[in-house]
Amino acid sequence: MPNLLLELRSEEIPARMQRKAAGDLKKLVTDALVEAGLSYEGAREYWTPRRLALDIHGLTARSADVREERKGPRTDANEKAIEGFLRGAGLSSVSEAQVVSDPKKGDFYVAVISKPGRAAEEIVTDVMPGIIRDFPWPKSMRWGKASSKPGALRWVRPLQSIVCTFGPEHEETTVIPFEIDGITASNITYGHRFHAPEAITVRRFDDYAANLEKAKVILDAERRKDIILHDARDIAFANGLELVEDEGLLEEVAGLVEWPQVLMGSFEEDYLSIPSEIIRLTIKTNQKCFVTRKQGEETLSNKFILVSNIQASDGGKEIVHGNGKVVRARLSDALHFWKRDQGNLPDLETLTASAAKFGLDINKPLDQRMAKLDALDVTFHAKLGTQGARVARIRTLAKELADITGADAALVDRAAVLAKADLRTEAVGEFPELQGLMGRKYAVLQGEDASVAAAIEDHYKPQGPSDRVPEDKVAITTALADKLDTLIGFWAIDEKPTGSKDPFALRRAALGVVRILLERKVRLPLRATTKDIDLLSFFHDRLKVYLRDQGARHDLIDAVLTPDADDLLMVARRVEALTAFITSEEGKNLLAGTKRATQLLAAEEKKGTVIADGVSPALLKLDAEKELFAVISGASKDASDAVAGEDFRSAMEALSKLRGPVDRFFEDVLVNDEDAAIRANRLALLRLIREATGTVADFSKISG
């Protein structure tokens, strides 16, 4: 079966757009071909800074013929109905339609529409211009003389050529020469811009990829990443160092080069006085370079690794020299930020009121930055006030939470006051992703307690499902206060997440609260803390996501989680105990009996059947019902006591005593007795079963 090769070559595509664009091209093209009646065995997309490519193999050469019968109106229908039928079916007169007789409905017209199959080349020619013209780039541009005309082609960067070849694997291929805005598809492409600018004639994917590699272009992005990673590791190792790996940077750099050449540069060791995080971000952000460290150590070395797109004749000396000059200039700026942040602000006299408000020591640099944050009235949100007002709220909430977490109240207060101070530092101004981390470093430098310093960094955590959770009690308290203030505030102004939109990352904040409570075993009454039922429901949703990710069954979560449950740690413990119980043989059997009891009871309640207010021992006639009544009272009390003592495993064990009596009850007892009093009494006994198991979970919600 034939293969289709497609390449769209342009000026440099931004690295962040390449992977998605290649995936979009694959989906758009394959969807269009399938919709047109073709099928294929496989397709793979490729990308470099200057091209998107698609290899579709096993494509059918022609779409199948289609025969469709379209039923029309009765032969005696009015003229307009018949005309509409003919027009819709593409027939010029009723003589071209067939007449079909139906014994019940009479004679009616049927149009037989035959659509012959189309050659794959014709289909590609038909669909490709539209795909290219409407391609979903996040940003695109027009260029050249045609750009002034309405409807001119837009592409992420100027589109220079198109390759489109089609043919069997071992025979000659043909070009599908579709055209768009003066660019006609051909079998000509070009290699590396500097090393191999000559034209390359290609036939199919294998020789296309091979010829590009000869022309200093490695088509496969994953292979470029692998080359960069292993060469970087090797060059670091050869210099007694190890690479500080960075998957995001590796992905970006692989999107900047077609022929990766890994080199090592250096900077003066004096710059190593700057925190490693600043050095790494400075070199990564400005020069897209990797940093290194001595083997087995945490601190960085003064060697960095860069990736060039050119195989230089001098071995890369000039490239290394040029990159080194820029790196030194950037590190010089970073050193300036680092030193300035440790000095006094020039306008201390304007900060006295803010310092007094928060109990700040105006002689300390980080305190000065917090006072400045407040004095400037920096807005947190238009409806939620300034950053200073927010810090005041976090401070108040943290004080309340300290009683629950057992954290030192004075340290919690100090951490809450300084948590946002580094937002006014120059280092964070340059690299916002360092907020918290720089606050910790500056806090240590000015002699803050270790717990306070840790809380300043960790109050932002966890920022995702894989991020670490704070451990220190002061950090736990400050982190909870920060996240709860965010959630309470945005709920108050009705800025809640909707569908896939969550501009203020409120789902992440709620999941952070859930993880802290469960993983650090904090008992926090969320309903009393947030004073919002709807927000409590939002926490329930995040809890369900978290527990399901941990392997819990959704039905067991639903069986335990009631709308007013505000102690999430207890919910998680109940789910854990219920999971262990319900997967045991004893639990499965009790579940079956309990569900039978609750379903029968619910059916009778729905019908309005009389149910006794309580069980009368005098009306218990059979041994099985007497036994069940005798056991259920004790089991119910034991389960309730165990739940009150938060011993959910013992609560399950107490309920397990019901298994045998419940089974015998349904074997020996007819609930719907002819005697109304006995029937009402037995239904009351079923209600006791529901109430007893309900102390632990709603068994009716458990599947199985």
Side-chain angles (χ1 to χ4, degrees):
M1 295 177 73
N3 301 330
L4 178 69
L5 169 64
L6 180 70
E7 181 202 65
L8 303 172
R9 188 178 64 88
S10 67
E11 294 291 337
E12 277 72 7
I13 306 166
R16 68 184 184 279
M17 298 183 188
Q18 293 168 19
R19 183 181 291 271
K20 183 179 184 302
D24 287 341
L25 180 65
K26 174 183 172 181
K27 185 176 189 308
L28 290 168
V29 173
T30 55
D31 284 357
L33 297 180
V34 169
E35 188 176 347
L38 300 178
S39 62
Y40 63 97
E41 293 177 358
R44 184 177 172 187
E45 71 274 29
Y46 297 87
W47 62 93
T48 79
R50 299 175 61 220
R51 67 200 79 223
L52 302 178
L54 183 60
D55 171 33
I56 302 179
H57 54 272
L59 186 67
T60 46
R62 187 178 184 84
S63 63
D65 296 340
V66 177
R67 185 179 185 277
E68 176 190 353
E69 290 189 0
R70 186 175 299 178
K71 186 177 179 181
R74 286 166 52 99
T75 55
D76 57 358
N78 64 64
E79 190 173 330
K80 285 189 176 181
I82 295 174
E83 287 177 357
F85 161 67
L86 294 174
R87 189 164 51 251
L91 304 181
S92 57
S93 69
V94 292
S95 63
E96 296 177 2
Q98 296 181 4
V99 177
V100 177
S101 297
D102 187 309
K104 295 181 179 179
K105 298 181 180 179
D107 295 344
F108 57 89
Y109 290 116
V110 172
V112 178
I113 304 171
S114 296
K115 295 181 179 178
R118 301 166 64 200
E121 295 96 318
E122 181 185 342
I123 292 172
V124 171
T125 299
D126 186 40
V127 303
M128 280 309 305
I131 289 173
I132 295 172
R133 191 173 292 282
D134 300 327
F135 200 80
W137 291 109
K139 291 183 178 180
S140 57
M141 62 179 290
R142 295 176 295 177
W143 62 93
K145 293 181 180 179
S147 64
S148 61
K149 299 177 182 177
L153 174 65
R154 301 184 69 92
W155 200 246
V156 62
R157 295 291 184 270
L159 187 63
Q160 296 177 328
S161 68
I162 301 171
V163 168
C164 189
T165 65
F166 181 72
E169 188 172 353
H170 300 295
E171 298 177 21
E172 198 55 49
T173 58
T174 60
V175 172
I176 304 179
F178 64 85
E179 185 269 340
I180 179 167
D181 273 30
I183 302 173
T184 302
S186 69
N187 60 352
I188 303 295
T189 190
Y190 296 83
H192 193 284
R193 184 191 297 276
F194 303 112
H195 290 309
E198 301 82 11
I200 301 169
T201 302
V202 299
R203 292 171 298 170
R204 55 182 61 85
F205 179 77
D206 288 346
D207 72 274
Y208 164 73
N211 285 333
L212 278 181
E213 187 143 348
K214 291 176 184 175
K216 300 293 192 289
V217 173
I218 295 174
L219 184 65
D220 187 345
E222 295 302 323
R223 190 163 154 247
R224 292 199 304 276
K225 286 174 65 175
D226 192 61
I227 290 170
I228 293 168
L229 180 59
H230 285 86
D231 285 0
R233 285 173 177 169
D234 290 347
I235 196 172
F237 182 79
N239 285 270
L241 304 169
E242 64 182 21
L243 176 72
V244 177
E245 297 185 15
D246 186 325
E247 175 61 29
L249 179 58
L250 180 62
E251 173 82 8
E252 183 176 11
V253 171
L256 296 174
V257 296
E258 291 190 319
W259 190 247
Q261 304 295 307
V262 177
L263 304 166
M264 176 174 278
S266 64
F267 54 86
E268 288 73 15
E269 291 191 356
D270 291 348
Y271 289 121
L272 294 178
S273 63
I274 306 169
S276 295
E277 296 84 359
I278 297 181
I279 295 175
R280 182 176 179 180
L281 271 175
T282 298
I283 293 176
K284 170 183 175 178
T285 304
N286 294 298
Q287 285 303 103
K288 312 304 179 190
C289 295
F290 297 87
V291 293
T292 64
R293 60 191 168 210
K294 291 184 178 179
Q295 293 177 7
E297 296 185 12
E298 287 298 316
T299 55
L300 299 184
S301 80
N302 67 324
K303 306 288 186 181
F304 64 92
I305 291 177
L306 62 103
V307 182
S308 170
N309 192 37
I310 299 173
Q311 189 172 338
S313 57
D314 66 354
K317 290 180 181 179
E318 280 300 314
I319 295 172
V320 168
H321 177 69
N323 276 267
K325 285 177 65 177
V326 178
V327 165
R328 291 184 194 94
R330 297 297 186 181
L331 288 177
S332 177
D333 291 343
L335 182 60
H336 177 70
F337 298 151
W338 171 240
K339 289 181 176 178
R340 288 257 319 229
D341 286 339
Q342 297 173 54
N344 290 330
L345 291 173
D347 52 355
L348 293 183
E349 68 280 357
T350 66
L351 306 178
T352 53
S354 292
K357 184 193 304 183
F358 290 98
L360 297 165
D361 184 347
I362 204 67
N363 294 311
K364 294 184 175 181
L366 198 57
D367 291 57
Q368 294 173 19
R369 271 69 186 176
M370 177 56 221
K372 187 73 172 180
L373 184 70
D374 179 67
L376 288 174
D377 287 334
V378 176
T379 300
F380 168 62
H381 184 278
K383 295 181 180 179
L384 293 174
T386 64
Q387 286 282 9
R390 183 172 185 234
V391 169
R393 292 195 304 270
I394 292 173
R395 188 182 186 189
T396 301
L397 185 52
K399 182 179 180 181
E400 297 174 11
L401 294 174
D403 293 335
I404 295 171
T405 62
D408 183 295
L411 296 180
V412 165
D413 186 69
R414 182 67 172 158
V417 165
L418 292 179
K420 306 296 180 183
D422 68 355
L423 295 178
R424 291 303 307 167
T425 62
E426 295 198 33
V428 173
E430 182 73 9
F431 300 113
E433 56 266 59
L434 291 180
Q435 60 188 7
L437 187 147
M438 294 310 303
R440 178 176 190 162
K441 290 184 179 297
Y442 294 134
V444 169
L445 285 172
Q446 69 177 36
E448 298 297 330
D449 186 279
S451 290
V452 172
I456 292 172
E457 177 181 3
D458 289 357
H459 84 282
Y460 289 107
K461 297 183 177 299
Q463 295 196 28
S466 59
D467 194 15
R468 65 179 177 85
V469 174
E471 295 183 19
D472 185 280
K473 287 184 178 180
V474 175
I476 288 170
T477 309
T478 314
L480 285 172
D482 176 66
K483 291 167 178 57
L484 287 170
D485 174 74
T486 298
L487 291 159
I488 292 168
F490 282 107
W491 244 252
I493 63 173
D494 200 27
E495 288 281 2
K496 306 169 188 176
T498 56
S500 60
K501 293 184 178 180
D502 186 10
F504 303 110
L506 301 182
R507 290 189 181 93
R508 185 176 70 188
L511 181 59
V513 171
V514 169
R515 287 192 61 201
I516 292 172
L517 297 183
L518 269 56
E519 295 178 30
R520 296 295 175 250
K521 298 179 172 49
V522 178
R523 303 283 304 279
L524 176 64
L526 281 172
R527 185 173 179 180
T529 304
T530 63
K531 301 177 179 62
D532 191 312
I533 296 296
D534 184 53
L535 181 51
L536 180 61
S537 176
F538 185 69
F539 278 115
H540 286 178
D541 290 340
R542 296 302 98 199
L543 175 66
K544 290 178 182 178
V545 171
Y546 175 81
L547 291 177
R548 283 199 296 267
D549 287 346
Q550 298 298 308
R553 281 168 40 182
H554 69 89
D555 59 326
L556 300 188
I557 300 172
D558 291 340
V560 167
L561 190 59
T562 59
D564 60 349
D566 71 346
D567 187 340
L568 303 190
L569 180 59
M570 288 302 100
V571 171
R573 287 178 175 174
R574 282 178 182 244
V575 172
E576 182 182 0
L578 183 60
T579 301
F581 177 65
I582 217 68
T583 52
S584 68
E585 197 62 33
E586 203 163 48
K588 291 176 185 176
N589 290 333
L590 178 60
L591 174 62
T594 301
K595 287 178 77 73
R596 184 175 176 185
T598 54
Q599 288 168 359
L600 178 56
L601 180 61
E604 295 303 317
E605 286 174 333
K606 189 174 182 180
K607 290 190 291 186
T609 304
V610 175
I611 302 171
D613 293 335
V615 175
S616 171
L619 292 174
L620 299 174
K621 303 300 183 183
L622 302 175
D623 290 343
E625 57 184 331
K626 292 177 184 178
E627 179 194 13
L628 178 59
F629 181 61
V631 172
I632 202 168
S633 300
S636 181
K637 182 180 184 306
D638 290 346
S640 295
D641 291 346
V643 168
E646 299 175 5
D647 185 355
F648 301 113
R649 197 169 296 278
S650 294
M652 301 298 173
E653 290 174 1
L655 290 182
S656 67
K657 298 173 185 176
L658 294 174
R659 176 201 163 179
V662 167
D663 289 347
R664 284 187 287 277
F665 177 85
F666 282 113
E667 288 172 6
D668 300 348
V669 178
L670 176 64
V671 175
N672 286 321
D673 194 89
E674 293 180 357
D675 187 316
I678 293 176
R679 179 171 67 247
N681 200 56
R682 288 173 178 170
L683 288 171
L685 192 54
L686 296 186
R687 188 164 56 200
L688 286 182
I689 297 174
R690 184 172 67 185
E691 290 171 355
T693 55
T695 60
V696 173
D698 184 349
F699 275 48
S700 67
K701 293 182 178 179
I702 303 175
S703 60

